[in-house]
Amino acid sequence: SQQGEEDPQALSIQEGENATMNCSYKTSINNLQWYRQNSGRGLVHLILIRSNEREKHSGRLRVTLDTSKKSSSLLITASRAADTASYFCATDDGNNRLAFGKGNQVVVIP
Amino acid sequence: ETGVTQSPTHLIKTRGQQVTLRCSSQSGHNTVSWYQQALGQGPQFIFQYYREEENGRGNFPPRFSGLQFPNYSSELNVNALELDDSALYLCASSLVKANTGELFFGEGSRLTVL
């Protein structure tokens, strides 16, 4: 089955800096999504990028997708303390069944 | 707030027991999926229900079973609990064929098996 894998696993940055996370996957996808999770609670959808898209923006978030390399990146600009969370990429097989990576833990230091 | 509610939020069971977890989908959503998230890991897909029928299953044994009711709420049942079943169980609802792809997650039920 498809499996997103994020890199790096943990990231610690100062407030105001940018945070970049990468994700790779193994098979063809319909779309790729990024989710955020605060302290073992429920996941919150951040952004979805379709297989025919290369870049997408939402507020301070920018996602890129390179289907030839089977990889995606999530950029959070001007980070805030409230951005401290775990971030997961997930690939969708087209039927809303997601395969998640292990996640990136991001700590934003005020 | 996603509109997806799960119960109970926490529970402790012993090995060999059975557990039932419940989920109320967001209004208007016809699909519910269940995920298992072990500590420090990403969520793993258990199964999905669409219109009360199982619509896809991950790599989980038959002792993991589910139901979806006419009001689209759902249950996850796990029989013969094992220590490795200790995890956060997440329910997510969606509207298949809405072409949005987004899943709406509940806060989860944290199961501890002793």
Side-chain angles (χ1 to χ4, degrees):
Chain A
S1 62
Q2 300 166 355
Q3 191 83 44
E5 295 184 2
E6 292 89 352
D7 172 61
Q9 297 282 304
L11 184 63
S12 182
I13 58 174
Q14 296 288 330
E15 200 166 32
E17 292 181 338
N18 296 341
T20 300
M21 290 155 271
N22 298 306
C23 166
S24 61
Y25 56 92
K26 297 176 181 176
T27 61
S28 61
I29 61 171
N30 176 278
N31 66 70
L32 185 143
Q33 304 178 35
W34 286 89
Y35 286 79
R36 184 183 75 202
Q37 185 178 40
N38 291 340
S39 299
R41 300 184 66 187
L43 280 81
V44 175
H45 180 265
L46 294 176
I47 195 164
L48 178 153
I49 186 164
R50 301 197 181 281
S51 59
N52 61 353
E53 297 175 313
R54 291 298 167 258
E55 187 172 313
K56 201 163 184 179
H57 296 254
S58 177
R60 294 184 296 112
L61 304 179
R62 173 177 161 250
V63 169
T64 63
L65 180 65
D66 187 336
T67 53
S68 66
K69 295 181 179 178
K70 290 186 168 56
S71 67
S72 172
S73 68
L74 171 68
L75 168 68
I76 305 173
T77 61
S79 63
R80 305 167 182 170
D83 294 330
T84 295
S86 293
Y87 293 83
F88 295 90
C89 74
T91 53
D92 186 344
D93 65 357
N95 288 294
N96 284 30
R97 295 190 287 253
L98 301 185
F100 285 87
K102 294 181 179 179
N104 273 282
Q105 187 172 2
V106 175
V107 175
V108 181
I109 303 167
Chain B
E1 288 287 331
T2 63
V4 179
T5 57
Q6 293 187 241
S7 63
T9 55
H10 295 82
L11 70 167
I12 299 173
K13 293 285 188 177
T14 56
R15 196 169 45 184
Q17 285 188 314
Q18 178 266 343
V19 68
T20 297
L21 308 178
R22 296 178 175 82
C23 173
S24 176
S25 302
Q26 184 176 84
S27 177
H29 284 181
N30 55 14
T31 301
V32 65
S33 304
W34 287 90
Y35 290 81
Q36 180 196 65
Q37 186 179 22
L39 197 63
Q41 302 295 314
Q44 298 293 310
F45 174 72
I46 303 175
F47 43 56
Q48 181 186 85
Y49 278 82
Y50 171 62
R51 292 184 175 179
E52 303 175 55
E53 297 284 334
E54 187 176 292
N55 182 43
R57 187 179 185 93
N59 189 27
F60 282 82
R63 59 189 186 82
F64 285 77
S65 63
L67 284 172
Q68 186 183 31
F69 300 100
N71 65 355
Y72 302 132
S73 65
S74 176
E75 286 182 357
L76 165 65
N77 298 288
V78 187
N79 294 322
L81 284 168
E82 300 177 358
L83 298 180
D84 285 348
D85 296 334
S86 294
L88 181 67
Y89 288 85
L90 295 161
C91 167
S93 73
S94 59
L95 185 61
V96 172
K97 299 181 182 178
N99 204 32
T100 62
E102 177 181 352
L103 296 189
F104 294 81
F105 283 84
E107 293 293 321
S109 293
R110 184 165 297 282
L111 170 65
T112 302
V113 182
L114 302 176

